[in-house]
Amino acid sequence: MRGRRSRWAYLRVAGAALTLAILASGCANLPDSSAPQAIGTIQPAPHNTSVPAPAPGREPELLLRDFIEASADPANRHLAARQYLTKEMSARWDDAASATIVDKIDLITDSRSADHAVYTVRANRVGRLEPGGVYRAVQGQYEAKFSWVKVDGEWRIDDLPDGVIMDRPDFLSSYQRNSLYFLEPTSQTVVPDPRWVASSQDQRATQLIGLLIDGPKSFLSGAVRNELGSGVSVFGPITKADGQQSRVGVGLGGIRVDFQGLGQMSVESRELLAAQVIWTLANADISGPYVLLADSQPLDERYASGWTTADVASLNPLATASAPVGLHALNGGGLLRVGDGGVAPVPGYFGASDNLRSATISPDGTLTAAVAETRLPAPEPQTAFVVGTYDGNVATALEAQTITRPTWALDGSTVWAVVNNSTVVRVVRETGTGKLTTIDVESGAISELGGPITELRLSRDGVRAALIVDGEVYVATVTRPSDGGYSLTEPRAIAHGLGSPAVSLDWSTADTVVVVRAGSDDPVVQVAVDGSRMDRLPSRNLTSPVVAVDATSTTEYVADSRAVFELKKNGQAGDQYWREVPGLAGSRAIPVLPG
């Protein structure tokens, strides 16, 4: 049993206050970007209760815009926004009922007299912030009426709907996106769970640790593990490494967290817990050393003076594949390796082929999966799914009319694809014999979307799948039911406002998808996994149509009408343009990377 000291269990007992500090909201499409609830379960420091008063003598339509701007500050139950309400209305207003993010706000005058006015607010919904700071992209129209009266000569709101609306720029300036990190089921890596928080930097560590203890929300809950599970809490306040309680998480000085309720947790489990905590804090710009305690004793005696990111590097969510597989390309139906000295066919079957439509290489570079033309007369199957060693010991897994580009699972021996635009399958290759077994993936939730599936890419941690369904971009969760199979669940549209159909996509990082869309304007965009941001990538040097994309955490590759191009992510802002990959110019080549 895990011990408890309930009177000190700040993370569990005192959580309600901070949970009311951050609202959930709604949104359409954030290019850079429900009942809400404050997030976090650790006792927060007292908020400053001094907030600016509404400007005196201001007209109600201007005050209404000021009110919407003030609504982006969740502190003290939206105290800044409550200054615009009558006392009676403030007592009735349930600010925690919902939080909707909008853009393109219009104010329409319904009626106006000397001491009473009614305005309708119309806007585009772009998102919703759900309990725990979970962002969900939405679309649609927002419309609500706001009634104003004069109180002591100043206009105040005497009637408005429950919940909060925030203009997108105000939301982005008040809230920050930080990822919590949970464990992939086999504990090979950690998985990001993005959350939007509005606390100051010196409260960020407290809030993020509280959210970790609360666990993954909704669509990830059945797909990841959490070592900070039931019964875990924090003993006393989170401080700097030396115990100081001021400016915690700001600048140097590290972090000290004393967990309780871990009980007889194994050394391995403690290392995994440390990895979750450290990567969550490190990627929120909270520097180490990370002094982690369990019931006031070191979590691991080896790191009594503090952990660093190097101590949990094996689970680094930003790590790139260790195998030097490198860029490949499909050209003329065969697989080529692209190197500094030029391009050359890979050895064996894949390099000698002239009928490959798509291909992908396993993360360690030892296996290749491809879709090949059968060249059989209709109505015979037109494509074959082949899997084999990199140098060409190949077997056929299945034949069908259409098969999407294959995508490798984290284990490196299983590859997924979509057959006939509807059936998701896994092909498992036995290590010793090379025998292939095809197993259907339960994907009823995807079928309910009602369109053809033309692309499927597994994230590198294997917990999410990005799909194109009828030209729209979705992210689904990969779960493992008790029957030992796999399911695709909780599909969520993440690219509202894409403008034209998606034609290809790939994972750039564990929480970002790069998408190629039809059309000549801004053909390549990058989309956050929660749909909160959609950023246009440069289009310089590209010639439409752009038809394919493959990506690593550092570089994106696309194929347009005349060549394969690359875009380095670490380039200077003024130097962002696509560069031609030598050896692949003037051909209809398609980039191929591991994964």
Side-chain angles (χ1 to χ4, degrees):
M1 294 291 291
R2 291 176 175 178
R4 303 178 62 92
R5 297 178 194 159
S6 59
R7 72 189 184 93
W8 291 106
Y10 285 100
L11 292 183
R12 291 290 180 197
V13 178
L18 190 53
T19 300
L20 291 172
I22 297 184
L23 295 177
S25 44
C27 107
N29 143 37
L30 289 178
D32 256 351
S33 73
S34 133
Q37 163 184 349
I39 65 183
T41 52
I42 301 179
Q43 174 133 357
H47 288 295
N48 183 358
T49 57
S50 175
V51 296
R58 200 159 168 84
E59 289 297 302
E61 63 269 24
L62 298 178
L63 285 171
L64 184 50
R65 293 190 181 276
D66 295 343
F67 167 77
I68 294 172
E69 181 179 353
S71 296
D73 180 0
N76 298 302
R77 298 184 59 233
H78 290 89
L79 179 61
R82 290 181 183 275
Q83 307 305 302
Y84 294 82
L85 312 184
T86 65
K87 290 182 179 179
E88 296 77 12
M89 188 64 240
S90 180
R92 299 195 311 269
W93 183 44
D94 182 6
D95 60 313
S98 63
T100 303
I101 304 163
V102 300
D103 68 4
K104 299 180 181 178
I105 296 174
D106 285 331
L107 304 183
I108 301 168
T109 305
D110 288 358
S111 63
R112 173 75 185 266
S113 66
D115 57 3
H116 185 263
V118 178
Y119 292 88
T120 295
V121 175
R122 289 178 182 164
N124 294 330
R125 294 179 188 266
V126 294
R128 186 170 72 236
L129 193 61
E130 298 181 343
V134 175
Y135 185 99
R136 185 184 288 268
V138 299
Q139 61 181 344
Q141 293 297 308
Y142 174 90
E143 182 172 318
K145 291 187 181 296
F146 292 74
S147 175
W148 295 77
V149 297
K150 275 196 171 180
V151 178
D152 298 328
E154 299 292 345
W155 290 99
R156 294 294 181 264
I157 298 172
D158 71 336
D159 192 32
L160 80 164
D162 286 334
V164 172
I165 64 166
M166 292 179 279
D167 196 11
R168 181 168 59 195
D170 298 331
F171 170 75
L172 291 174
S173 65
S174 296
Y175 287 74
Q176 287 187 328
R177 192 178 79 155
N178 296 118
S179 283
L180 311 178
Y181 284 93
F182 298 101
L183 293 163
E184 176 271 332
T186 62
S187 301
Q188 295 183 59
T189 187
V190 288
V191 180
D193 183 0
R195 306 296 180 91
W196 287 84
V197 298
S199 60
S200 59
Q201 185 66 22
D202 62 354
Q203 287 292 303
R204 191 65 44 83
T206 295
Q207 193 166 22
L208 294 176
I209 296 297
L211 289 171
L212 269 177
I213 290 175
D214 285 347
K217 296 298 183 181
S218 60
F219 27 82
L220 273 186
S221 60
V224 294
R225 294 176 47 221
N226 184 20
E227 290 294 346
L228 288 84
S230 174
V232 176
S233 57
V234 164
F235 180 75
I238 294 175
T239 69
K240 284 186 177 290
D242 62 2
Q244 293 185 41
Q245 296 187 32
S246 62
R247 295 178 59 79
V248 176
V250 179
L252 302 177
I255 288 286
R256 178 184 179 276
V257 188
D258 190 353
F259 293 103
Q260 68 169 15
L262 300 185
Q264 300 302 312
M265 181 178 280
S266 68
V267 172
E268 179 184 11
S269 292
R270 290 176 181 237
E271 289 177 349
L272 294 173
L273 182 151
Q276 285 188 244
V277 172
I278 291 166
W279 288 119
T280 295
L281 297 178
N283 285 299
D285 296 325
I286 298 172
S287 302
Y290 306 96
V291 178
L292 305 182
L293 308 176
D295 294 318
S296 302
Q297 300 300 314
L299 180 69
D300 188 318
E301 288 290 349
R302 294 172 297 172
Y303 308 109
S305 60
W307 300 64
T308 70
T309 54
D311 298 321
V312 289
S314 63
L315 280 81
N316 185 351
L318 303 179
T320 56
S322 58
V325 178
L327 176 65
H328 289 65
L330 275 183
N331 193 11
L335 185 62
L336 308 175
R337 179 173 178 82
V338 182
D340 294 337
V343 299
V346 301
Y349 168 83
F350 296 105
S353 296
D354 64 357
N355 64 337
L356 303 183
R357 290 187 179 180
S358 62
T360 186
I361 301 167
S362 64
D364 64 3
T366 61
L367 301 175
T368 302
V371 177
E373 297 174 353
T374 62
R375 295 175 179 168
L376 295 172
E380 295 298 317
Q382 299 299 294
T383 57
F385 192 173
V386 296
V387 182
T389 58
Y390 177 79
D391 58 4
N393 182 13
V394 173
T396 299
L398 62 92
E399 293 182 343
Q401 294 302 322
T402 64
I403 304 170
T404 61
R405 173 172 51 151
T407 180
W408 287 95
L410 179 64
D411 64 11
S413 63
T414 306
V415 62
W416 295 42
V418 181
V419 175
N420 295 330
N421 299 122
S422 60
T423 303
V424 181
V425 300
R426 301 166 51 233
V427 174
V428 182
R429 185 179 187 274
E430 291 185 6
T431 303
T433 65
K435 178 184 175 182
L436 303 179
T437 303
T438 301
I439 307 167
D440 285 357
V441 174
E442 203 293 309
S443 54
I446 310 301
S447 299
E448 290 177 3
L449 299 175
I453 308 170
T454 56
E455 184 89 295
L456 166 68
R457 304 296 289 165
L458 293 174
S459 60
R460 294 180 187 93
D461 53 43
V463 168
R464 294 180 172 97
L467 306 100
I468 298 176
V469 182
D470 200 20
E472 300 290 335
V473 178
Y474 293 86
V475 168
T477 304
V478 179
T479 60
R480 305 180 186 186
S482 57
D483 62 5
Y486 284 74
S487 297
L488 289 177
T489 62
E490 300 271 4
R492 304 168 306 283
I494 64 167
H496 295 307
L498 191 61
S500 56
V503 297
S504 181
L505 58 73
D506 196 25
W507 291 91
S508 177
T509 63
D511 59 4
T512 307
V513 178
V514 59
V515 180
V516 165
R517 57 184 178 179
S520 57
D521 295 334
D522 302 312
V524 189
V525 298
Q526 191 165 274
V527 185
V529 72
D530 62 358
S532 60
R533 293 180 63 101
M534 183 164 64
D535 299 312
R536 295 171 176 84
L537 294 183
S539 58
R540 293 170 60 190
N541 286 356
L542 298 182
T543 302
S544 294
V546 180
V547 297
V549 62
D550 218 335
T552 70
S553 59
T554 61
T555 310
E556 271 121 20
Y557 296 90
V558 298
D560 72 358
S561 61
R562 58 191 177 89
V564 172
F565 290 84
E566 66 177 359
L567 182 71
K568 299 285 188 182
K569 294 184 183 178
N570 58 359
Q572 297 298 318
D575 191 36
Q576 286 288 289
Y577 63 91
W578 296 90
R579 302 173 187 271
E580 225 173 68
V581 175
L584 297 177
S587 63
R588 286 281 192 169
I590 302 295
V592 175
L593 290 166

